[in-house]
Amino acid sequence: MSLTNNPLLQAFNEAPFSTIKDEHFKPAFEEAIRLSRKEIDDIATSDEPATFTNTIAALDYAGQQLDRISSVFFNLNSAETSEAIQKIAQEVSPLLTAFSNDVTLNGQLFARIQDIYAQKDSLDLTVEEKTLLDKKYKSFSRNGANLPKDKKSRLREIDTALAQLKLSFGENILAETNSYELHITDEKDLAGIPDSAKEAFAAEATSREKDGWVVTLDYPSYIPFMKYADNRELRKELSLAFGSRAFKNNEHDNQKNTLEIANLRHERAQLLGYATHAHFVLEERMAKTPEKVISFLNELLEKAKPAAQKEFKQLEKFAKELDNIDRLEKWDGSYYSEKLKKKLFSLDDEQLKPYFKLENVIDGVFEIAKRLFGLQFEQVYDVDVYHKEVKTYRVTDADGNYVSLFYADFHPRKGKRGGAWMTSFKGQKIENGVNDRPHISNVCNFTPSTPSKPSLLTFNEVTTLFHEFGHGLHGMLANTTYPSLSGTSVYWDFVELPSQVLENWCYEKEALELFATHYETGEVIPMDLVQKIKDAATFQEGMGTLRQLSFGLLDMSWHGQDPSELKDVKAFETAAFGDTSLYPDTSETCMSTAFAHIFQGGYSSGYYSYKWAEVLDADAFEYFKEEGIFNKEVAAKFKDHVLSKGGTEDSMTLYKRFRGQEPKPEALLRRAGLI
């Protein structure tokens, strides 16, 4: 195929999805790697003495075409994949890893970086330039540049293997999710389930050319069934199917992948002189050490565990009184929690959903962004998209200046992995005096519309939409010079601050009145319902906190010790969950084999960061509450010192500049009702 006709190798601003064919990807990657390699070689072999501009800045601006191709391809592999794309991913992944290793293990290039790094105190650099120099030096020294030749060779082997193992891990979860269906033909098995969910199950059955109803492991299908279905046996079947994904000793089993990833990460860390993978990762985080993370998680555990145990006893007692349940199991948790919440607060998700039509929630989050940061969102129809469900928006500031392009992709599909995430098709940078604006995307798996109803969100889906949009704002409002410091390129335990802080507006009357209107009558959500939402916000917060802490501790168990003696994934996981388990264990299920955050995504030794960032977001939102949730001055400070600054300075420095002080954990404990 001619490279000249390959749309990925032409200069493009918006991703040219409609003209890209699967067969374009591999040749485009190969050519872009060749061009990037030449750019790197030119920097490394220059006759000019090494300077910040000709080496550090040049390196940061190099390889932009390869970055664009990678973002298009790997975003498709997450949101609209196919067997062909998965095959290409397995083929190009080793090429990208080899190229990345070629850069970081390039002795000539590292020598130039070392020359500049040695003079850093005498160079007249801006704060952002100092940060970039420090990060570039560390990206080489922390990735093998100082290793002897034989160890560099082993590092390459490890990185290639890890890249492919992580892809396989994700492919297995998706395959397991897609291969399961609960086919129901007797309507009495749907007792307790709201009409909206039943209609969605029927639509799923129709799409599969089946009679009756089909429930899948996609969240908008799985969650309502687990929450409302009276049929305990079917809840058990579905729960075990979900919990045993990639843990069945079949072709999609992830036990071997899990052990191999953990062992290779440990070996890599040791090669580089670190005790464990967690020590390696946390050196470049706000927390700094595994000891600090473990201590942080255990301090929260001490506060949360008594509350969680008390809540669990209350739930057990309730289930016993209601249905004579002698032993509460995992498949009972959501069901009885929802009933108990309804009893205590006269509130359930079905009451709220009519007020959260997806389009209204989108308009609401846009309006909140307008009031806080002066942003305007205009839906545009002339931008190429990768699926007909994807919506696109042109984002401008209060003066009409172009800020960003925003893609929104909200519903489950066969080719889309589960969960919700923010990503980008193009980053922000300032080059040659031009501020090149970003293309940001939010991808979610929300309840789709049915033949009789529009997409009506659960309250949890509403907070998820706000969460991902918070990440989106971090990308959209980026305003840095260098691409590798832009947007969400911050410490991993800081990256969740913009997302988690925005969730707080979902609980505020002033914000809800802007968008929570009944999809049929247009009635604004009644204030007694708003009050119930606030009252119920801390319902089972102890159990929720314990659950998050259990995931963080499991992550640290996998990555904070030598895993070479581990043979049994399930036994190891059970031991790691020891202090945090409430429900009886089920031998058929295992979380680790489907824990994509840490084994496929970027959260290894980082899952604690959700809780860490909650301390920041609770403290930050207290500032907004003190001054008014739409206070322009506080919003401007948040935009100027957090959202626009990316990773140009130390995260705590940026936070203190916004807040005027370090965060206090009491704000989180107060909000959670734990003090």
Side-chain angles (χ1 to χ4, degrees):
M1 176 178 287
S2 163
L3 293 179
T4 53
N5 296 328
N6 190 321
L8 290 162
L9 293 170
Q10 316 306 312
F12 61 86
N13 181 30
E14 294 152 8
F17 295 111
S18 62
T19 56
I20 301 170
K21 295 183 169 66
D22 290 346
E23 58 265 30
H24 288 137
F25 281 113
K26 194 174 179 190
F29 272 115
E30 289 168 339
E31 176 63 6
I33 288 171
R34 185 188 71 77
L35 295 170
S36 299
R37 196 183 297 281
K38 184 177 184 313
E39 287 181 274
I40 299 297
D41 288 346
D42 288 347
I43 297 167
T45 59
S46 169
D47 295 332
E48 301 286 321
T51 66
F52 179 86
T53 303
N54 73 14
T55 303
I56 305 299
L59 197 52
D60 210 53
Y61 289 124
Q64 289 182 36
Q65 187 170 30
L66 179 58
D67 290 343
R68 292 297 309 274
I69 293 167
S70 295
S71 70
V72 169
F73 176 76
F74 286 104
N75 282 325
L76 282 179
N77 193 35
S78 292
E80 186 60 14
T81 196
S82 62
E83 282 185 16
I85 285 180
Q86 289 178 346
K87 182 170 180 286
I88 296 163
Q90 292 285 1
E91 289 169 359
V92 300
S93 178
L95 306 180
L96 292 166
T97 304
F99 172 65
S100 174
N101 286 148
D102 288 345
V103 175
T104 51
L105 301 177
N106 184 319
Q108 261 182 307
L109 184 57
F110 186 51
R112 289 177 71 84
I113 293 167
Q114 283 178 304
D115 281 351
I116 303 159
Y117 192 72
Q119 314 165 48
K120 65 177 179 175
D121 295 331
S122 60
L123 298 173
D124 185 21
L125 299 178
T126 65
V127 171
E128 185 175 351
E129 287 167 345
K130 282 178 184 165
T131 302
L132 185 68
L133 174 57
D134 188 56
K135 290 200 171 180
K136 281 285 177 254
Y137 176 78
K138 283 179 178 171
S139 74
F140 280 72
S141 64
R142 281 170 48 82
N143 285 292
N146 289 315
L147 292 177
K149 194 173 176 185
D150 60 327
K151 289 188 173 177
K152 282 182 176 176
S153 174
R154 178 57 188 148
L155 190 81
R156 285 175 179 275
E157 291 169 4
I158 290 171
D159 286 349
T160 302
L162 278 171
Q164 291 184 300
L165 283 165
K166 284 159 71 178
L167 280 172
S168 298
F169 190 93
E171 287 169 9
N172 285 342
I173 299 168
L174 185 63
E176 289 272 279
T177 302
N178 286 340
S179 68
Y180 177 84
E181 64 174 33
L182 174 61
H183 184 207
I184 294 170
T185 52
D186 187 342
E187 192 164 5
K188 73 171 187 295
D189 288 332
L190 296 171
I193 292 174
D195 289 344
S196 57
K198 279 203 263 195
E199 196 175 352
F201 301 158
E204 185 62 41
T206 303
S207 75
R208 295 174 183 230
E209 298 180 345
K210 296 195 168 175
D211 295 333
W213 303 265
V214 166
V215 185
T216 72
L217 299 180
D218 289 322
Y219 280 128
S221 184
Y222 175 77
I223 287 171
F225 196 90
M226 295 307 298
K227 196 179 273 189
Y228 296 112
D230 294 338
N231 188 320
R232 195 181 187 208
E233 277 307 304
L234 288 182
R235 288 203 313 270
K236 177 180 178 180
E237 182 188 325
L238 198 65
S239 171
L240 294 179
F242 189 86
S244 62
R245 287 173 306 157
F247 183 64
K248 299 192 188 76
N249 292 310
N250 61 9
E251 60 181 324
H252 299 304
D253 192 275
N254 268 337
Q255 292 174 84
K256 187 163 172 279
N257 288 339
T258 302
L259 291 169
E260 283 185 25
I261 290 168
N263 276 289
L264 287 171
R265 283 173 173 168
H266 182 72
E267 185 189 346
R268 188 182 196 279
Q270 295 245 298
L271 263 183
L272 294 167
Y274 295 88
T276 68
H277 179 67
H279 285 86
F280 168 76
V281 168
L282 292 165
E283 183 181 68
E284 288 295 285
R285 299 288 189 263
M286 290 176 83
K288 301 299 181 201
T289 67
E291 294 73 24
K292 180 81 184 275
V293 171
I294 297 290
S295 150
F296 168 73
L297 293 172
N298 282 332
E299 276 174 39
L300 280 179
L301 182 61
E302 202 179 301
K303 298 272 196 313
K305 193 170 179 178
Q309 288 171 326
K310 187 178 167 192
E311 290 162 2
F312 190 70
K313 280 199 171 67
Q314 180 190 33
L315 192 62
E316 281 183 313
K317 183 168 178 280
F318 177 72
K320 177 72 176 168
E321 287 169 359
L322 194 67
D323 289 329
N324 201 28
I325 300 293
D326 288 323
R327 188 168 102 146
L328 206 61
E329 303 280 4
K330 288 175 185 173
W331 45 89
D332 298 318
S334 291
Y335 179 75
Y336 288 106
S337 292
E338 186 64 17
K339 285 190 167 350
L340 180 59
K341 186 169 79 172
K342 191 168 185 178
K343 181 187 172 190
L344 295 176
F345 304 102
S346 304
L347 182 71
D348 73 11
D349 261 340
E350 287 305 300
Q351 267 175 288
L352 296 175
K353 279 171 70 174
Y355 296 97
F356 295 123
K357 181 181 167 187
L358 173 61
E359 290 75 10
N360 293 349
V361 180
I362 295 168
D363 289 345
V365 83
F366 288 170
E367 179 62 27
I368 287 165
K370 179 182 175 182
R371 294 190 181 207
L372 290 171
F373 310 116
L375 297 178
Q376 310 268 1
F377 291 78
E378 179 200 354
Q379 188 166 357
V380 287
Y381 302 92
D382 56 353
V383 173
D384 215 343
V385 293
Y386 55 87
H387 190 278
K388 65 179 188 296
E389 288 179 351
V390 179
K391 295 178 168 67
T392 51
Y393 301 86
R394 188 171 186 273
V395 189
T396 52
D397 65 17
D399 299 319
N401 300 307
Y402 176 62
V403 171
S404 173
L405 184 63
F406 178 56
Y407 295 80
D409 177 4
F410 285 132
H411 300 299
R413 289 187 297 276
K414 196 171 170 57
K416 188 195 276 195
R417 68 176 168 88
W421 62 96
M422 167 267 182
T423 184
S424 70
F425 288 106
K426 179 180 153 201
Q428 178 272 336
K429 66 180 186 303
I430 299 171
E431 188 176 12
N432 301 323
V434 176
N435 194 329
D436 200 10
R437 299 308 303 165
H439 297 175
I440 302 300
S441 176
N442 277 175
V443 188
C444 304
N445 281 277
F446 292 149
T447 307
S449 58
T450 65
S452 73
K453 286 190 180 74
S455 173
L456 302 175
L457 304 189
T458 65
F459 189 68
N460 187 51
E461 288 176 325
V462 175
T463 58
T464 299
L465 189 149
F466 272 66
H467 178 103
E468 297 308 331
F469 191 76
H471 282 310
L473 289 172
H474 203 180
M476 288 181 242
L477 291 169
N479 199 25
T480 64
T481 302
Y482 300 106
S484 71
L485 301 179
S486 183
T488 56
S489 302
V490 298
Y491 279 166
W492 213 255
D493 41 11
F494 192 63
V495 80
E496 295 298 333
L497 167 61
S499 54
Q500 291 182 185
V501 80
L502 201 67
E503 291 182 41
N504 289 283
W505 273 261
C506 298
Y507 297 91
E508 297 299 318
K509 173 177 178 287
E510 277 177 85
L512 286 167
E513 284 176 333
L514 298 174
F515 67 91
T517 56
H518 197 284
Y519 79 101
E520 286 176 318
T521 65
E523 172 206 10
V524 174
I525 191 167
M527 284 310 108
D528 66 317
L529 267 186
V530 174
Q531 190 54 49
K532 285 174 184 177
I533 290 171
K534 294 191 83 151
D535 293 343
T538 57
F539 175 63
Q540 294 186 343
E541 186 64 34
M543 285 166 66
T545 300
L546 201 66
R547 181 173 178 270
Q548 284 290 91
L549 294 175
S550 74
F551 298 164
L553 289 164
L554 176 63
D555 173 27
M556 294 306 291
S557 295
W558 276 114
H559 296 114
Q561 59 185 298
D562 178 355
S564 58
E565 296 300 310
L566 298 180
K567 298 288 179 281
D568 187 330
V569 173
K570 171 71 176 178
F572 177 76
E573 174 179 295
T574 304
F577 278 155
D579 279 347
T580 57
S581 353
L582 294 170
Y583 292 95
D585 184 48
T586 44
S587 59
E588 306 96 316
T589 62
C590 180
M591 180 178 176
S592 297
T593 56
F595 201 171
H597 268 77
I598 67 167
F599 289 114
Q600 179 193 4
Y603 281 82
S604 62
S605 307
Y607 202 87
Y608 77 92
S609 59
Y610 283 105
K611 274 298 178 214
W612 185 277
E614 273 189 50
V615 172
L616 298 175
D617 98 68
D619 185 70
F621 193 64
E622 280 205 349
Y623 189 19
F624 273 101
K625 292 269 283 188
E626 286 160 16
E627 304 297 331
I629 66 165
F630 291 116
N631 182 281
K632 288 275 197 286
E633 284 172 36
V634 179
K637 278 188 183 179
F638 194 66
K639 178 186 166 196
D640 295 342
H641 301 308
V642 177
L643 296 176
S644 67
K645 281 288 190 287
T648 55
E649 283 189 74
D650 175 74
S651 300
M652 189 56 83
T653 303
L654 292 174
Y655 186 81
K656 286 195 292 191
R657 209 170 284 149
F658 154 67
R659 185 67 169 101
Q661 61 186 43
E662 287 206 359
K664 295 189 171 78
E666 289 75 22
L668 169 62
L669 296 170
R670 264 196 302 277
R671 185 177 71 186
L674 297 176
I675 56 170

